[in-house]
Structure formats: structure tokens, C-alpha cells
Amino acid sequence: MRQHELTRADVLTAALPYIQKYHGKTVVVKYGGNAMTSPELKQAVMTDIVLLSLVGVNIVLVHGGGPEITALSSRLGLETKFIDGMRYTDKATVEVAQMVLCGKTNKDLVCSIEMSGGRALGLSGLDGGMIKAKKLEGKADYGYVGEIVKVDPTPVSDALASGYIPVISTVGMDEHGEVYNINADTAVARIASALKVENIIMLTDVKGIMRDQNDESSLIVDASIKQVEELIAEGVVVGGMLPKVRCLCDAVLGGAKKAVIIDGRVPHAILIEMLSDDGAGTLIHE
Amino acid sequence: MRQHELTRADVLTAALPYIQKYHGKTVVVKYGGNAMTSPELKQAVMTDIVLLSLVGVNIVLVHGGGPEITALSSRLGLETKFIDGMRYTDKATVEVAQMVLCGKTNKDLVCSIEMSGGRALGLSGLDGGMIKAKKLEGKADYGYVGEIVKVDPTPVSDALASGYIPVISTVGMDEHGEVYNINADTAVARIASALKVENIIMLTDVKGIMRDQNDESSLIVDASIKQVEELIAEGVVVGGMLPKVRCLCDAVLGGAKKAVIIDGRVPHAILIEMLSDDGAGTLIHE
Amino acid sequence: MRQHELTRADVLTAALPYIQKYHGKTVVVKYGGNAMTSPELKQAVMTDIVLLSLVGVNIVLVHGGGPEITALSSRLGLETKFIDGMRYTDKATVEVAQMVLCGKTNKDLVCSIEMSGGRALGLSGLDGGMIKAKKLEGKADYGYVGEIVKVDPTPVSDALASGYIPVISTVGMDEHGEVYNINADTAVARIASALKVENIIMLTDVKGIMRDQNDESSLIVDASIKQVEELIAEGVVVGGMLPKVRCLCDAVLGGAKKAVIIDGRVPHAILIEMLSDDGAGTLIHE
Amino acid sequence: MRQHELTRADVLTAALPYIQKYHGKTVVVKYGGNAMTSPELKQAVMTDIVLLSLVGVNIVLVHGGGPEITALSSRLGLETKFIDGMRYTDKATVEVAQMVLCGKTNKDLVCSIEMSGGRALGLSGLDGGMIKAKKLEGKADYGYVGEIVKVDPTPVSDALASGYIPVISTVGMDEHGEVYNINADTAVARIASALKVENIIMLTDVKGIMRDQNDESSLIVDASIKQVEELIAEGVVVGGMLPKVRCLCDAVLGGAKKAVIIDGRVPHAILIEMLSDDGAGTLIHE
Amino acid sequence: MRQHELTRADVLTAALPYIQKYHGKTVVVKYGGNAMTSPELKQAVMTDIVLLSLVGVNIVLVHGGGPEITALSSRLGLETKFIDGMRYTDKATVEVAQMVLCGKTNKDLVCSIEMSGGRALGLSGLDGGMIKAKKLEGKADYGYVGEIVKVDPTPVSDALASGYIPVISTVGMDEHGEVYNINADTAVARIASALKVENIIMLTDVKGIMRDQNDESSLIVDASIKQVEELIAEGVVVGGMLPKVRCLCDAVLGGAKKAVIIDGRVPHAILIEMLSDDGAGTLIHE
Amino acid sequence: MRQHELTRADVLTAALPYIQKYHGKTVVVKYGGNAMTSPELKQAVMTDIVLLSLVGVNIVLVHGGGPEITALSSRLGLETKFIDGMRYTDKATVEVAQMVLCGKTNKDLVCSIEMSGGRALGLSGLDGGMIKAKKLEGKADYGYVGEIVKVDPTPVSDALASGYIPVISTVGMDEHGEVYNINADTAVARIASALKVENIIMLTDVKGIMRDQNDESSLIVDASIKQVEELIAEGVVVGGMLPKVRCLCDAVLGGAKKAVIIDGRVPHAILIEMLSDDGAGTLIHE
């Protein structure tokens, strides 16, 4: 037992330099994928967040919620239409998205954090006019899919200043009061830029950027924005990873200190990334 | 035109003493009924709230959302079961309630206030652990219907202090993390007590407490708690009005200065109540 | 009666966008002329000021007091001497001016605002060393007529920060302790510049700048400083209006956002100007 | 010269314990009599006040102004009427009093303090509604002579908090807006009570309370309120001294720590009182 | 390696409830014995303190320094005299004590904390007049051994408020400026009472209070003050442990929430005590 | 006696303009030499410092302690070795220096200030990491003599903001935790630059810079940095005065407004310098 206690103390003191590094800094966590659907992984994320909050890190949680939106839409018999490979969001669907994101996913996370001993405050891009959006312009009409015009981070910094962990749903409103669904990765990047965060942690279902998708040992541990551009040009970053990586590069260019893509399938991946020397996943920096 | 302008100035200056009276005071508005379903009446309420906020009143908006919960439940094919004349709320239904209240009604109101030029922040009883609840104990098992154990008004006062108009959905959580639907009238009363408000304004679909339900001229303009008890004993206050009136009496006993039941079917009923001498509806005081 | 109430609410809500526009902004009112001598007009001005103060406008009132100085001087048998068409102010007269402005006019206004429900604090250019002056240099010796060397707005901003409506008498002191009478229009312009106000409202006994003094329909509603210069060159702005207009132009160039000349003979002219779209009188802007 | 410097340092260091004693405390000075009419004595008072303000004492100056009111009244041909040996104050006279006190005496003192390097702010009992008064009720009708209903010391403490030396004219207003002349000694006592001051210093034209008016060596250096009552009963405190002494006793009973009557004919009497061990004049304490 | 990381995260998250418990609370550590003389143990204490400070605990470190005082005294040839088994402290020795405690031990600790990444501020009972002392009165004259008259915790709370870890040497001064050596255990108790701390952690060279000094398994894990009194009466608490235990009881009676005697010979004993469920050593509570 | 009092008041009021000049400004005093060894002179310095602190000057005291270090070193039998005419500081000696400066000299000064009625806080270059040092690089190895890398004035300004008189010992630490003795004159200059002080007062045992060391009437009262450079080139500033003067010039170039070398053998030399027109000693300015 004594041995056990000594180990515990050793681990805690080993965390000291990392705690010192992030103390008083703001970190945005993009939460989604397996880490959100598996109850065990979810609980580990909640614990990580409350712990980091207690050791003085200003944690901001941004979440998506695609699967739950799809589930409710289908229960309600809403048709899914694809245009150019992109889902068309009609009025009924954006209403479902708002309801699920702000009313279900967001509040469930608030409850989980509160149950883990943290103080959480649910926010959406609508509250305090945080996310000003407009209809996404593209090759086709995608309906109520929005692109961000401006992020006012005041509601987030007000919540942090009052001691809450802000939990954010990414919907936004245009000047006519129309609500749009905003891609959560894009929103994370813009919120992180507006807050000039120390770190963006993006939880995904892969190990990070890998040269060979089938070989985890080919993980790229660290890349500058220039190197990321080359990896994209070389076709290493493709598929669903491509827009995520672009968002993170934009965020770093926009004022975030760094961004990491980590594997949300590993329990306590956030703690491992933040409180160990080698971190985890792929780090993107300027 | 000149005549028109003079009249405008006269009206504004006539409002002066009422503005002075409420300046810097906190007022809770219970929002529901026709005032919530009619677009014109809703817009008038939004305008009233933003205006009162600008003239220095700390406005808190608490809303219900029964019809929308029922609508979504029925679209989802959830059965409605009644026990002792009271609706039984199963797990699926409380999830719908949370989703509709926090994700639809609440955020729609936030958007409406923002579009009217106010700064709104959506809150629920879950955020910051505001409403601690437990299963309602009664003659039967009503499922996930909660009764309030404790209200921590900190999230509301934090929001007011940061300059927002808090908009509150009345769900609460117990110590095991279970979410309950809370009757909005009860919640208003408890929140108003906790905030020691100057006034509770309850928007209803009647003129107020009337001696004869069919004769609007029998409106009781003003009643002490003792007089209200007598009216209840006499059978004047009955039906749906009875629990509402009991809530307001509790709130006044609990620390609110006064409470008024007003007719939400009249446009700008809130402004009329707050900025004129005779007020509107029925005033309950200690 | 219901009709009456509805109208009242309509007027109040129509004022909303204007209140939003000026909320938290500082506005200086130059008070004089008929609006100061007629008891009815004076009461309307007091009400307007208290109302604007309550809806969140930082109101500063600057007053003259020529007629009362003249009246007391003549009762005291002080001779009036004119040099180059300008009144010579001897030592006895400047003492009368100080006494009347700071002791009578200023305190009467303080009392009127307090009686109307506002919190007023009387200040003069002497208090806190607000107005540093020197002997006006001109073609002749005009005695104790001062020109402003420097305005320190700290006493005004201290009073605003403590929640008072500052009421200012325009006398100033030089480095030897000599007190000078300062033209109130000049003082308003300098104080407004120092405070970087949103608006200067100058109450006069005319409708504004008119192309034809005998035709109120020739009112110039809006003019840039460049346009004002042209109007002066064309001889449209003449007589007593000329120095007033020059002061306002200086103030706008010095940091005030805009200035308006309005007709103080109209009751509630200030409210009409500030809380309606077309405003009143002539607006001067950069 | 060296000798001279050493002496200077000795004197300064001898003042140290007294400065320590009053540092951060509030002291009210009642200013009147010879100390106000002699230019040399006046300058010495100004210097004392600025010096005490700089060494950390919160100095409040309250002044009368009887002779100047009388002088202007007589120049204006206002008749003086006595009732029961007390001057009747008609409407014209109270207007003269307000004008002279607030516009002449007060502002002259503000200028003198500013010229001596202090930061002064002139206040009256009207500003911020500081002195609520009513018609003095007595055996006869004395006209606009007021008695104090309530003192709100907020304008004084606001001015102190902003770093000003408040200079106060003792006029007050009733609920109908009528202005009354208030006896300065009474006002000093009430203001001192409201501020819970450390010391009231009353400048007079005598050495203090003397057993034998013709023998300065009979000065009573120190008296408890009980002893003062005995001195009054014995007929030692008579004439103009009697009401002054009663005011000071009331102030001490009302919350002031102590009060001293000192000889304003001695230059720097305030410094001598405050920065030496034996003080000066007569000390009244509980 | 992955296994290693998982363990680390597990340990950190296991610490969460304990961190939550002490977050924002003040804890005083009495530092001495082996934990101070062994370099390895000392470094572990420093790390523990910096870590606790970072996770939001207000840590105050109070140290003794007997061995170093003795060492320097002997190098300086100061004689050691005992009276009634208690060391007599002559003037020369108290000067050595002050010099060693405040100049060597204290500053060495400050350097160690700074090197470990904390922000430390060395204080003594002399700074800001923190410890008012007087000559210890006993059966004999013990020289410059002091007993505490009063502790003013302001310098400690000022340092905590500015974000420092206060490190305190226990010397005190009497009203004549004489400095006394104060027993560190007594000082800890008085400082802890004055600060109303959450916990006093006393590092010793034993496991805690044991029924049988030769059997570590007889450790008393938890005792109320009443139980401690009984243990003393039974002769279980004897020798050097007796005064320490009495000090801790006094502290708990004086306002500290609880106190623990822990074994400073175990590395990271402070972390083990504070961040595990069973704690360590003997807990004394009311 | 009256005459005596008048003189006292005259002296106090003569100090007024100087008090006004330094009110709210920061002044660093380098304390050493006779002013530190003579009990009478020391008491006079303490009184001056407490007095200046009370009249609103932010006083910072920096002290050396060479003679006491030498005395203890010799009592401990530590050898003194000179290299290139500069004393070599071995490990044992720097430990003695730290102990004497921080534990004896510093705390004695803290006690003296507290006994004189001031609130003192002892600091060293180690506390809060104030002085970052490194081994002095020169022609030879001087051991643990440090040169300053960086001064972080936060602990000093924190102490001033909390109302203490900071008393500073000039030792510093390098990045490896090694402590160095820092020349006090150099440290004063760097601290004064970092604090952008109004004045540096250096107490010495000479009258100031004199053209002829044997003729006090050749005192140079005032010199610009350029003039000082010329005096150095001319050989007027030599010996121990040379490094002191260089330090002061550096401080003035680094941000201090001015510096004065005064004669610490004159009682109350600090008061004489600060509160008289001609000052004392030699003033160095830009």
C-alpha cells in the first residue's frame, strides 16, 4: 500500500511542470466522435475537463452532435437529401439540429460536468449573439447550413470569468433572425482564434495525421502549417481529415498558439496530451 | 406632426415615475399562454422586455412550453398516460421536454430578444446546478416530474451582472444526475424568492382573479395574501388559477415584494402593468 | 381607457431604438433662452433630463444666466459699459456673475432636477480646477471676460461615475486666482470635446439654421462642417447664431460626435430630438 | 543655515505622531468669524487644510456667511425684521443667502484651496439632496429658516473618495422644493454625526470656553459632555457660545469622536490643534 | 508506454475529489525534522507545496530551525545554558536565532520553492508586525524566549492574495522592540487559528500518535479533542509529542477545521495526506 | 509657548509645496554608512521614512551591510582573500552574507520602522524571484559575487500597493538556484529603473561630489549626466564615489527621474533633501 501511495505521489509530481505550463491559460476542446458516444470514454473526458479546470486551466468545450440530429430527424420522418455529396438542411432539419444540439447534447454535457464536480454553463452561438452567421455560399444551395461572419467571444469570457466551464453548441443567427447549423470544426477554429487560446484539442477517432492510414507507426507527431500544406499537397491528408486540418491551421494563423489532433478512443486522451511531455496525436503549430 | 411629437413626449414623461420606481430592481416575468403562441403578442413581449432592460430594470424571463412538448411527443409517437388526472412523464418524455424547453423554446426566445436589440442568455435549471430537484412525491408515481429542493440563483445573478437578460427553462437535476421536468409556475416562485425580486409578472390568458369568471368587471385589482386565502376558501380561485395563485403567494412570503397576474392577451401588457399607475390584472402582496 | 393604454405602450416601444442608440453615451445639453425663463418649458427640460438619465444616458447640463446677472447688476446699480459692441465686465460685475451663476441659477437647477426625481450635483469651472482661463485678448480690454486655456473634465466624469447629473456654471480661474466669466456656448464646446460626447444639444429660441430667417420651412436639417462654412460664407448664418454655430463646429472637430441646434420654445424638445428618427432643428456633423 | 534646516526637520518629525493619529480619519472644520474675514488668517486656514489633506486626513470644510448675506441684503434694500430677537428670513432674503453662500463664499473658498494646491469641490445641502430640511418650528414664524430633517452624507463621501476637499454651504430643501437657510453650527454637527468623524474643529473668535470671559487663563481645556452640562447649568456657557456648545455635544452624542472649540484669531490654529500634544482651545468628548 | 500513460491519467483523476475538497482553502504546513534536513525529502516537500498551490490551495509554510541555530551558536562559541530542562536564550543567542531563521532557513526555502516553479515570499513574525510577543513567563527566567500576545495575519493574507506562497519564520517583537524566539509549533497553531485554515499539517519524525511507541500498527488514525485529552491523561501522548498535540488542539479550538500529524520521513507525505482518502498519520478534529 | 507653536506651524506649512511635489510618487533610499551604524542617525532615518510614507510618498528602502558581514565572517574564522583588489566571496561567505543581510540587517530595519509607527515588509532579491543574477564576469574569478540579469519589481510594487514600506536586501539567485551577493548600489540603480522612481536618495558619508575633496564649499550641487561624465574624465569623481555615481547615472538613464547623493552624517538628511528648496548634496539628472 505504501508502494502504491508513493507511485501516486510520483505521478502527481510528474504532472507539475505541465500544470505550470497551462495554469491560467485558455484551452478549447472540440468534443465528438467515439469519445462522445461511448459512456466510459465520455466519463473520462468529463473527469479530465473538471480536473484541468480545477488546476487553473480555462477549459471551453465545443461539441457537435451529428448522429443525434440524424437519429431524431429519421424518427420524425424527415427526408435526407444530398447535394454535391453534402447534406441539404431544410427548415425542419435545422430546427431539429438546434433542438438536439442546444437542448439535448449541450445540457447532457452540462449535467455530466456538474455530476463530475465542475460548474458548467451551456451556451450556444445564439446566446449573447455569439455567432453571427450567414447562408453558406457554395456551388449549390445547401439550405440552412451557415458560415460564420463574426464570433463575439464575450459570452464565453464572461462565463470563464464567473468560474464556469462553458459548453458551446454551434448554431448561429443571421441579421434576419434565421438560425443556421454551423460545422463544429469551423466554429471551434473561429472561437479559438477569437479567444487567442493556448491550445485547441480536437478529439477524433484516429491517432492523428498518419503518412499511411493503415500504419499507426507512421503518425506525424508535429507539423508546422507549412509542413501541413505540403502533406495536403502530397495527398497525405485526405477525406474527413482534410477540413478538420484546414480549420486548425486557420485557427493557428488566427491567433491560437497551437492545435492538436488526438485520439478520442483512448481514455483520458486530453490529460495525456496536456500533462505529458510527448503529448499525443499530431501537433500543428505556426 | 408637431402634435404627434408632443404626444410622444407626454407619454414618455408620464412613464418617468414608474421607471424611477423600478430602476435597478429585479423583476421576473413568467411567460406562457397566448402571449407565447401569437407572433404579434410575442413580439410585443420581447419589445417590452428589451425596453425595461434598457431603462435599468433587471428583467428575468422564465418560460414554460407545454404545447410544444406535447406536439413533439405526439410526432414521436410517445403515449400520454394520466394518473390521478396528472400527466405521467416517462423517461422518453422528460428527454423530449428537456430538448424542447432548452433547445427550442429557450433559444427561440434568446433569438427574439437579440433581434429586438437586447442581450439574452439562455439558462436552464441544469446550468451551474441552478435547480436541485427530486422526484415529486404524491399520491401516485408521476415519473420524471420533479419538485424543487433548492434554487441557487448565482447563474441568474451572474448573467444579470454581466448585462444579459436571463431566459430560463425550468428543468432540474437530482443528486444522481436524473433530470426532471419542473412546473414553470413553481419554478418562477422559487427563483423569485431566491432573487428577492421587486415584482413577479405572471402572463396568463385571463384578466386576473375575477369574482365571476364571466364578468371581467368583477376583477379583483389588489389582494393581500390573507385576502387571497379567503378567496380560495370562498371558491373564487379555482381550476388552473389555483396552483398559480398559490405559487405567487409562496413567492411573496418567500421574499418577493409583490406579484401580479396579468392578461397576456393584451399587447404590451407588461409595459402597461409596470409603467402606469393602476397597473393591470390582480396584484398580490403581503 | 384600454385604447389609451395601448397608445402609451406604442409610444414607449417606438422610443426603444433611440434609447438603445444613446444608452451609456454622454450627451451635453446647453441650457438657456426661453427654455430657462418659462416655468413650463423649464419643467419639461428637467423631466427630459431625468428621464434620459434613467434610461442610461450620461446627461451633463451646462447653463448660462445672462438675464439674471443683468437684473442683479442693475438692482445693485452697477453701470453697464460697452466696448466695441461687447459688454465690459468690471470686477464688481464678474463677482455678481459668479454669485448668480454658481449660487442662484446652478442651485435652482440642482433643486429642480432633485424635485423631478434625479440626482444632481452643481459644479462650476472653479471646482476641481475644471476650467483654467485667462483674460480674453481682443481688440479692446473687456475686463473679466475669460477665454478657456484648458478644460479638465475629471470633476464631470467623477460626478457621472458616482451617478449624478452634473450641472455646470461657466466661470473659470486663471493662474493668479482671478475669476472670469466664460461664454457658456464656448464652454459647452470645450467641455463636450474634452468628454468626447455623443451629442451636444443646444437649446435656442429659433428653429435652427434657416436659409430665410422669416421662413421656418427653410430650416436646414443637416449640415456637415464644410457645408456650415459655406453657409457662413453665404451670409446665411449671422448675428447671435454665428458664434454658437462656430462653437459647435469646433466641438465636433475637437471630438464630439455631433451637435444639434434645437428650438427650446417647444416643450420636451430634447426628448423629441433624442427619441425620434428625424430629430429636430439643425444637425451639425463632421 | 544648517541650524535652520535641523530645526525644520525636528519640527516635522515632532509632528509625526499626530499625523499618524489622524491619518485616514475624517475631520470637519467649521469655518467662520475672523479666520474668514482676515485675508492673512484665511490664507493660513487654507494652507492648514491643504497640508492636512496631503498628509492623509479627510478634511471637510463647512462655512457660514452671515456678514456677506447682510451686506448684500442691505445693498439690495432688503429690510431686516427681528422676531423674538431672531432674524426673520423672508423669501427675498433666503434667495440672497443661497446666492451668497453657494455662489460667493463657497466658490471663493474653492478658489483659495485650489490656489493653495488642494483639490476642492463646492457642495451645498441642495446637491445630491444632502440636507433635507423643513421650516423651523418655534414660538414665532421665522420665515425661511430651516431645521434639518435628515443629512445624506453620500455627496460628501463621494467627493472624499474621489480625492476632493468638500466645501459645504448650509442650505437645505424641503419636500416641496423650498430652500431654507440652515444655521451652519447645527449643520456641522449633523454632517459630523452622519460621517462619524474623528474630530470637529470649530473656529471661533474666542479662546474657548472660559470660566471668566475676561480671563483667558480660566480656559477650560477639556470637558466631558456631562461637565459641559454642568457648566451650562452654572451659567459659564452663555450667549452665542451656548448654541455652539450644544451643537457640538449633540454631534459627539451622535457619533463624532470629539469636538474642539478653537481660537480662529491665531494663525494656523487648526495645525496647532491637530499636530501638537496639548491641542488648543476647549475639547469636548463623551 | 501506453499502459504507463493510462496509469498516470488514472492517478490524476483519482486525485480529483481531493483537489475539489481543498480548492480555494488555506492550509498551513509546519515544516521541520527529517523532511527539512534530508535533501531528497526537502525537494519532495517543495514539489508538493508548489503542486498544491497550483491546484488552487492557499499554502502557508511555517518553519523552525533549531539544529541550524545550535550549529551556528556553537561555531560562535556561545554557551548553552539549561534552566529547568529548558534552554536559556540570551541576547546573543536570540540574535543568532533571528539571523538563522529569517536569513538562512527562510530564504533557502524561498529559493527552493522558486526553483520548483512556485512564487514564494519570505515573512517573519516581525514583518508588518505579524507576531506581537512578550517574554515567556514561567517558573524561571528563560531569557529571550517569547510567548505570543497577538497574531495579525494581514501580511500572510496579503501575500496569499498577491499569489505568493508565504514562508514564515517564527520570531516576534514586544512593545519595546525586543525580539523573541517563538516556538514554531505554538506559532503555527496561532497563525492557523487567525487564518481559520482548513487544515494544519504538522510534519514530524514519527508516524503519528501511537498507543505503543514501538508498534507502528498501534497508530491512532483519528481523534477528537476529547479523545486526545483522554490519551494525554492515559499517558499515551508524552515527551516531545505532548506540546505539539496541545498546540494542534488549541488551533482546532481556535478556528482551524482540523489538524494532522504526519510522518515527514515518507516522501510526498503532504500529497499523500491531502490527496488520498485515508490520509496519513493522526487526524485531530473537534 | 505661543511663539513656539507659531514657528512649528510655519515650518509645517513651509513643507507643503515639497509634500505636494512628492505625493503619490515612489522614492528609493539607499541606506548605508554612518546613517546605519550610528543609533541616533539611524533613528532619524527611520523617522524620516515613516513621515514621508505617511504624507503619501511610496518609500522603498534598500540596504547594504558590509561591516556586519565582515564582522560575522571574522568571528567564524572565514579567511578574506582579495583578487585584483576585490574581495573574493567563497561559498561560506556568501551564506554568511545572505544570513546577515536578510536575517539581521533587514529584520532590524523592519523592527525599527515598525517601532517608529510605520508598516514595514522585509524583502530580498530572492523573494518572488525579484533579482535574477549570474556570476559576475570580470578579469578574475570573484566567487559568489553576482551581477544582475533582470529585476522583477512586482514584489516591491505588491508590497507598496498593500501599504507596506518595502525593505530590500540585495542578494540574487541564478537559474541553478545559486545565491549571489549583489553590490547594493548597483541593485538600487536597477530597482529604481524598474520602478521608474521619482528620486533615488543615496546616503553616503560625504557631502556629495566635491571638486576638492578637502573643501566642502566646492560641493557640486547639480549636474547633468553629461556634466558628470566630464567630472569623471577630469578626475573629480574618483575612488569609492566613482561606482556609486556610475550607478546613479545608469538609473537616471534607465528611467528614474533623478538621483541625489546626500550626507548621511547629517541627522534627517532625507527630510532636508526632500522637503526644502535647495535640497542637499549633489543632484544628478538627465
Side-chain angles (χ1 to χ4, degrees), chain B residues 200 202-250 252 259-265 273 280-285:
Chain B
I200 306 171
M202 185 170 273
L203 288 173
T204 63
D205 290 346
V206 294
K207 252 192 106 59
I209 303 177
M210 290 176 290
R211 287 212 160 263
D212 174 352
Q213 309 305 321
N214 302 316
D215 176 9
E216 294 208 341
S217 74
S218 73
L219 177 75
I220 291 158
V221 166
D222 179 318
S224 69
I225 288 178
K226 193 158 162 292
Q227 289 168 325
V228 169
E229 294 299 341
E230 289 164 11
L231 290 168
I232 292 171
E234 292 168 26
V236 172
V237 183
V238 290
M241 186 59 92
L242 185 53
K244 282 178 194 292
V245 165
R246 283 226 185 275
C247 284
L248 296 181
C249 288
D250 286 351
V252 170
V260 286
I261 297 167
I262 62 173
D263 188 350
R265 298 167 305 180
E273 153 57 22
T282 302
L283 169 72
I284 298 171
H285 55 86

Side-chain angles (χ1 to χ4, degrees), chain B residues 10-263:
Chain B
D10 289 346
V11 169
L12 286 168
T13 58
L16 184 54
Y18 307 101
I19 294 176
Q20 289 174 323
K21 182 176 153 194
Y22 284 108
H23 195 77
K25 301 289 170 56
T26 301
V27 172
V28 171
V29 174
K30 162 62 204 312
Y31 182 48
N34 279 324
M36 201 156 154
T37 46
S38 146
E40 290 72 26
L41 289 173
K42 182 180 170 186
Q43 184 50 51
V45 170
M46 296 302 109
T47 308
D48 289 6
I49 279 169
V50 173
L51 185 64
L52 289 168
S53 164
L54 273 171
V55 304
V57 184
N58 297 318
I59 284 280
V60 177
L61 197 65
V62 178
H63 65 87
E68 290 186 287
I69 299 170
T70 307
L72 186 62
S73 295
S74 100
R75 280 179 67 196
L76 289 170
L78 299 175
E79 254 181 276
T80 303
K81 197 167 74 178
F82 281 86
I83 295 180
D84 294 341
M86 195 160 160
R87 177 152 61 173
Y88 178 83
T89 303
D90 59 13
K91 186 73 181 171
T93 304
V94 78
E95 281 175 13
V96 165
Q98 175 194 312
M99 196 164 60
V100 166
L101 289 172
C102 304
K104 181 157 183 18
T105 321
N106 188 284
K107 295 310 172 193
D108 287 354
L109 288 172
V110 164
C111 288
S112 298
I113 294 174
E114 290 276 335
M115 285 306 291
S116 302
R119 292 181 71 220
L121 195 88
L123 291 172
S124 73
L126 310 172
D127 295 284
M130 193 202 304
I131 300 180
K132 295 292 177 211
K134 63 174 186 184
K135 198 173 184 334
L136 176 67
E137 304 207 5
K139 295 180 206 154
D141 177 354
Y142 307 112
Y144 290 88
V145 174
E147 78 184 282
I148 295 179
V149 173
K150 189 164 182 285
V151 167
D152 175 359
T154 313
V156 186
S157 43
D158 283 346
L160 287 171
S162 299
Y164 299 99
I165 299 168
V167 178
I168 305 175
S169 307
T170 61
V171 286
M173 186 169 69
D174 73 8
E175 55 195 337
H176 309 296
E178 291 291 350
V179 172
Y180 296 87
N181 192 2
I182 310 281
N183 175 272
D185 295 334
T186 319
V188 164
R190 293 295 294 268
I191 292 167
S193 295
L195 289 168
K196 306 282 176 216
V197 301
E198 186 68 19
N199 198 0
I200 306 171
I201 295 179
M202 185 170 273
L203 288 173
T204 63
D205 290 346
V206 294
K207 252 192 106 59
I209 303 177
M210 290 176 290
R211 287 212 160 263
D212 174 352
Q213 309 305 321
N214 302 316
D215 176 9
E216 294 208 341
S217 74
S218 73
L219 177 75
I220 291 158
V221 166
D222 179 318
S224 69
I225 288 178
K226 193 158 162 292
Q227 289 168 325
V228 169
E229 294 299 341
E230 289 164 11
L231 290 168
I232 292 171
E234 292 168 26
V236 172
V237 183
V238 290
M241 186 59 92
L242 185 53
K244 282 178 194 292
V245 165
R246 283 226 185 275
C247 284
L248 296 181
C249 288
D250 286 351
V252 170
L253 287 170
K257 279 265 190 76
K258 62 177 184 180
V260 286
I261 297 167
I262 62 173
D263 188 350

Side-chain angles (χ1 to χ4, degrees), chain D residues 206-223:
Chain D
V206 294
K207 252 190 106 60
I209 302 178
M210 290 177 291
R211 286 213 161 263
D212 175 351
Q213 309 305 320
N214 301 316
D215 176 9
E216 294 209 339
S217 74
S218 73
L219 177 74
I220 292 159
V221 166
D222 179 317

Side-chain angles (χ1 to χ4, degrees), chain D residues 185 213 232 235-246:
Chain D
D185 295 332
Q213 309 305 320
I232 292 171
V236 173
V237 183
V238 289
M241 187 58 91
L242 186 52
K244 282 178 194 295
V245 166
R246 284 223 185 279

